[in-house]
Amino acid sequence: MNFGANEVTHNPVLQAPHVYTQVGGFMFGLFSKRKNLTVHDVGHIIERFLSNSPRYPQEWNDFVESKQRITESERVRLRCYQLDPFVNCPGERDDAALGELRMMAASARVETYTDVAKMLENFVDGTGGQWDWDDYISLLSYPDDPYLQAVQERMINLSSEFPSGGKGYCDEEGLEVMRDYIRDLRHRAAEYCPQMGVQAP
């Protein structure tokens, strides 16, 4: 029997209605997202694994088994895959492997802060890529980092908070706000490095 996009059929095992197109689209979205993780995403997956607080039970396994399209994310994933037998196991976990995971998580956070600072700097200087700003305000998200969320929300609203009169994204006062955030992001990254034993960028 064929079903249309909005027709519902009955699953005899679960005894609940399912809209196949919706479920399929949802699963495809999850699968696609798992293969497009940013370094920021990867760092937080490692942090959640170390704190035993995954978003869902198979999060770590899905991560180490899913090849990433972003080169740096794939490099970290491969190392996590190699460390997995030493940290994702019954009984005692290897202290050296756990220490390396902590270092990778810390490095990912520092890299994210410095990357956002550089992107904002390039935007202020007019040297960024054609779609960098649009990607930042519309595609990127930082659900595990309230500070980065707050920075992004402020950047989105700068054009209305400091209107440029049609001469750019915002006026000079708005650009100075951006410069303040650039300095603060780099300061936070530099402060985080010695706490976690990570080399400053």
Side-chain angles (χ1 to χ4, degrees), residues 19-31:
V19 180
Y20 286 121
T21 54
Q22 292 178 355
V23 172
F26 175 72
M27 294 304 293
F28 177 81
L30 287 179
F31 183 76

Side-chain angles (χ1 to χ4, degrees), residues 100-125:
E100 188 171 346
L101 286 181
R102 293 187 189 99
M103 290 285 288
M104 285 191 287
S107 295
R109 178 172 298 206
V110 170
E111 184 173 339
T112 301
Y113 276 46
T114 55
D115 282 352
V116 172
K118 182 61 176 173
M119 191 281 305
L120 294 180
E121 184 175 61
N122 289 344
F123 182 73
V124 170
D125 295 342

Side-chain angles (χ1 to χ4, degrees), residues 59-127:
E59 181 181 48
W60 176 257
N61 291 338
D62 285 345
F63 163 59
V64 297
E65 294 171 3
S66 299
K67 184 176 181 179
Q68 296 300 307
R69 296 190 176 101
I70 298 173
T71 302
E72 181 62 17
S73 299
E74 174 62 6
R75 183 190 67 78
V76 177
R77 182 202 70 84
L78 281 173
R79 185 56 184 155
C80 290
Y81 180 84
Q82 294 167 347
L83 295 174
D84 182 65
F86 304 100
V87 297
N88 190 22
C89 57
E92 290 293 324
R93 301 194 290 180
D94 185 82
D95 287 340
L98 289 171
E100 188 171 346
L101 286 181
R102 293 187 189 99
M103 290 285 288
M104 285 191 287
S107 295
R109 178 172 298 206
V110 170
E111 184 173 339
T112 301
Y113 276 46
T114 55
D115 282 352
V116 172
K118 182 61 176 173
M119 191 281 305
L120 294 180
E121 184 175 61
N122 289 344
F123 182 73
V124 170
D125 295 342
T127 57

Side-chain angles (χ1 to χ4, degrees), residues 156-183:
I156 291 171
N157 293 321
L158 275 184
S159 59
S160 56
E161 187 178 351
F162 301 101
S164 66
K167 299 178 181 179
Y169 186 72
C170 58
D171 65 12
E172 184 58 36
E173 190 175 356
L175 293 177
E176 191 55 40
V177 170
M178 287 190 186
R179 295 185 184 102
D180 287 341
Y181 276 111
I182 292 166
R183 288 187 286 267

Side-chain angles (χ1 to χ4, degrees), residues 131-176:
W131 304 111
D132 288 355
W133 183 255
D134 289 338
D135 288 348
Y136 172 65
I137 64 175
S138 61
L139 297 180
L140 298 180
S141 63
Y142 308 94
D144 297 295
D145 194 312
Y147 175 71
L148 289 179
Q149 276 188 318
V151 173
Q152 186 182 44
E153 289 170 6
R154 187 77 191 280
M155 295 302 104
I156 291 171
N157 293 321
L158 275 184
S159 59
S160 56
E161 187 178 351
F162 301 101
S164 66
K167 299 178 181 179
Y169 186 72
C170 58
D171 65 12
E172 184 58 36
E173 190 175 356
L175 293 177
E176 191 55 40

